[in-house]
Amino acid sequence: MLDLKFVRENVAKVKEAVENKNEKTDVDLILSVDEKRRSLLSEADKLKHQKNVVSEKIAQMKKEKRDAKEEIEKMRKVSAQIDSLDKELKEVEEKMADLLLTVPNVPHSSVPIGFDEDSNVVVRTWGEIPKLDFEPRPHWELGQILGILDLPKAAKVSGTGFLVLTGKGAKLQRALINFMLDLHTQKHGYEEVLPPFMANRPSMTGTGQLPKLEDDMYLCEREDLFLIPTAEVPVTNLHREEILKAEQLPVYYTAYTACFRREAGAYGKDTRGMIRVHQFDKVELVKFVKPETSYDELESLVIDAEEVLQLLGLPYRVRVLCTGDLSFAAAKCYDIEAWASGVGKYLEVSSCSNYEDFQARRMGTRFRPKKGGKLQYVHTLNGSGVALPRTMIALMENYQTKEGTILIPEALRSYMGGMEEIK
RNA sequence: GGAGAGGUGCCGGAGUGGUUUAACGGGGCGGUCUCGAAAACCGUUGUGCCGUAAGGCACCCCGGGUUCGAAUCCCGGCCUCUCCGCCA
């Protein structure tokens, strides 16, 4: 959420952001509602002031046992006026709040302007794309041959877009989770959190999934709870409506969770295998930082995520997203994409974003800079560190052998009980 | 699910229908003292909104209601705690 004052004072900038992000927010409507709101507010405030003054007078008169009938009668009328103004004001303010939630964050000045993902810019690549001397198999074939991925059973149990990992496949997934959590907690200084996999509306609104993306999420209607689409939601909301101490910043969290996405509107895309599924595992990184450091923190966040792929020996590239591909709440975002030999393309395994104070303002997460200074909103960031099925895909497809087995990267072997190969 | 208790500021914790941002304590900040520090003492310390400003308004979990006037009384909701039931 942007500050209403900021919108008022930076109309051109906000309209440009709406345009560049391909959003449809009506900024002029916001301005006119704001004007209405302010005029109602000052009218109501005047009457309330009168009420307060006269109420005090009535109290005084009662104390002196004088008759206050006339004043009471007058106030009865004023109160009625206030009531009706307040009612109108409430409607206008609710409308204002709803409108403000539809204004996207303003992209950082370093973000390339562009309409869609074709304008994303590769900032670096790492590793060599493996040159296999045989026709590489896609992961679903490998999974079937080795008996570690059973898509037909997943379809039977739940439907398309779900996975059943079995035996060494399940173990490999668990190994990856543990490997990543250990890396981030032990080497990168993140605190591990295991949050709920369901979140309420205020939380979903806090991080910016609501109101825009409601249809992309699974909703348990009886409880009005959403299955989390990412650990970003529960972990970032840990500090909703809180005032953090300046000296405790920056705060780093890492969390493993399952993630649930309806993938509405993605029908026909990546339907085979486990590239795009309704439920997947992910290790997430979340940061709460001081505003002046947030862009440095974004760079180090990306590096922390990249290290996962480096240690696994998976080649990847990092792209900075252009304005049109940038999510609603983000000010800047890097995608990390791992190369997968079987399907022959780069797969997005991480998205690292700086939200600046956009989420913090929605959540009410602030800190006091020091010495009785004014409260300020923190900056929040998060990134996958990293998402699992696609990392599994890259691993399976890049480490496959001519015989259809999969070599296990060095870094993972201790997590696999010393296993060197899945065969 | 049943019964009870409670939700107050940065934190702990009082609170009478009528000068309430709200006793008291802690913390923070400023100062006195000190070579320096601790201790002690004194002072100070909420947030948001409107307004060029002076100033004003709102806020004691959330939403309604009663009243000239509600942190205080009534109703609904959410959350926490205790006991009982159920349960991996």
Side-chain angles (χ1 to χ4, degrees):
Chain A
M1 184 164 63
L2 297 180
D3 186 7
L4 178 53
K5 250 186 230 153
F6 177 87
V7 177
R8 208 148 60 206
E9 289 160 10
N10 298 274
V11 178
K13 210 186 249 184
V14 173
K15 283 185 173 175
E16 192 187 342
V18 169
E19 172 91 22
N20 286 338
K21 278 192 160 181
N22 308 323
E23 294 284 343
K24 289 184 286 268
T25 316
D26 188 343
V27 180
D28 289 322
L29 178 61
I30 291 175
L31 296 176
S32 72
V33 171
D34 179 43
E35 227 161 276
K36 176 82 181 161
R37 170 184 151 265
R38 285 190 287 164
S39 82
L40 282 171
L41 195 61
S42 83
E43 205 179 330
D45 279 3
K46 269 182 211 148
L47 289 174
K48 284 176 185 174
H49 177 58
Q50 192 190 348
K51 181 184 95 171
N52 288 342
V53 170
V54 178
S55 283
E56 204 176 304
K57 189 174 160 200
I58 292 171
Q60 193 59 37
M61 289 171 82
K62 290 242 173 182
K63 211 187 234 170
E64 292 165 6
K65 307 265 190 239
R66 286 198 285 148
D67 181 28
K69 219 175 234 165
E70 199 178 311
E71 274 70 18
I72 287 175
E73 200 46 49
K74 209 164 96 194
M75 279 308 97
R76 213 191 290 273
K77 283 185 192 131
V78 172
S79 280
Q81 278 182 60
I82 291 173
D83 271 358
S84 88
L85 276 176
D86 269 352
K87 219 165 262 173
E88 202 179 340
L89 188 60
K90 197 184 154 194
E91 270 173 40
V92 170
E93 291 202 312
E94 275 169 7
K95 190 168 177 189
M96 189 73 243
D98 287 348
L99 283 171
L100 265 185
L101 288 178
T102 69
V103 183
N105 201 357
V106 177
H108 187 254
S109 58
S110 65
V111 172
I113 292 169
F115 180 72
D116 60 19
E117 77 166 307
D118 294 339
S119 302
N120 295 345
V121 176
V122 175
V123 294
R124 59 182 168 271
T125 58
W126 183 93
E128 303 253 326
I129 291 177
K131 292 193 176 70
L132 304 173
D133 57 1
F134 55 92
E135 188 63 29
R137 295 180 164 96
H139 62 279
W140 55 85
E141 277 182 35
L142 291 165
Q144 196 188 359
I145 294 167
L146 295 169
I148 59 175
L149 169 66
D150 196 330
L151 293 168
K153 276 196 164 49
K156 176 170 67 182
V157 172
S158 303
T160 56
F162 289 90
L163 303 177
V164 171
L165 293 168
T166 53
K168 290 167 188 164
K171 184 161 186 167
L172 179 60
Q173 172 105 340
R174 183 158 54 88
L176 279 165
I177 293 167
N178 287 334
F179 160 70
M180 292 190 275
L181 286 173
D182 284 349
L183 175 68
H184 297 313
T185 54
Q186 291 164 18
K187 185 165 176 197
H188 300 150
Y190 291 76
E191 189 185 345
E192 186 171 347
V193 178
L194 184 57
F197 291 5
M198 293 179 154
N200 56 25
R201 251 168 221 284
S203 293
M204 296 296 286
T205 306
T207 32
Q209 279 73 22
L210 293 183
K212 192 189 165 190
L213 302 173
E214 176 147 2
D215 288 345
D216 294 343
M217 250 90 59
Y218 288 103
L219 170 63
C220 303
E221 285 189 6
R222 291 194 202 196
E223 339 291 1
D224 206 29
L225 287 173
F226 292 86
L227 292 179
I228 56 169
T230 157
E232 163 194 354
V233 175
V235 177
T236 310
N237 277 282
L238 288 175
H239 295 300
R240 180 154 47 83
E241 306 294 337
E242 280 187 15
I243 293 165
L244 302 174
K245 293 200 167 75
E247 57 270 25
Q248 81 185 93
L249 297 174
V251 177
Y252 294 176
Y253 292 119
T254 184
Y256 152 76
T257 69
C259 302
F260 304 88
R261 298 184 184 177
R262 293 186 62 221
E263 300 293 353
Y267 298 113
K269 266 191 202 166
D270 306 321
T271 45
R272 289 206 77 176
M274 50 184 194
I275 295 180
R276 185 177 295 277
V277 285
H278 292 307
Q279 178 190 322
F280 61 94
D281 286 339
K282 179 156 66 69
V283 169
E284 185 76 0
L285 305 170
V286 174
K287 291 184 175 185
F288 295 82
V289 308
K290 291 180 186 169
E292 60 270 24
T293 66
S294 70
Y295 280 93
D296 290 338
E297 294 280 3
L298 176 61
E299 296 303 319
S300 67
L301 178 69
V302 178
I303 287 168
D304 289 341
E306 282 177 60
E307 192 171 350
V308 172
L309 300 180
Q310 289 176 8
L311 290 172
L312 294 174
L314 298 174
Y316 65 84
R317 67 181 184 191
V318 179
R319 293 204 292 177
V320 61
L321 300 193
C322 72
T323 52
D325 207 22
L326 199 55
S327 72
F328 176 78
K332 186 171 185 177
C333 176
Y334 291 103
D335 273 3
I336 303 174
E337 301 169 323
W339 175 259
S341 297
V343 294
K345 55 184 174 187
Y346 280 103
L347 301 177
E348 180 192 328
V349 295
S350 178
S351 231
C352 301
S353 308
N354 183 1
Y355 298 91
E356 297 188 357
D357 63 5
F358 189 87
Q359 293 181 326
R361 184 171 285 110
R362 286 175 166 235
M363 293 192 302
T365 305
R366 294 174 294 177
F367 75 103
R368 194 178 298 284
K370 70 185 163 192
K371 286 196 178 178
K374 282 203 65 127
L375 292 176
Q376 262 186 54
Y377 289 105
V378 299
H379 280 195
T380 58
L381 302 92
N382 67 61
S384 340
V386 296
L388 269 171
R390 292 179 186 169
T391 302
M392 280 265 280
I393 292 170
L395 197 155
M396 288 167 72
E397 296 185 353
N398 293 350
Y399 281 95
Q400 65 178 300
T401 65
K402 201 170 183 174
E403 291 70 40
T405 67
I406 297 166
L407 298 172
I408 294 172
E410 196 76 50
L412 227 43
R413 290 186 186 165
S414 63
Y415 290 92
M416 291 293 284
M419 197 189 300
E420 293 177 12
E421 188 176 14
I422 295 177
K423 51 189 174 189

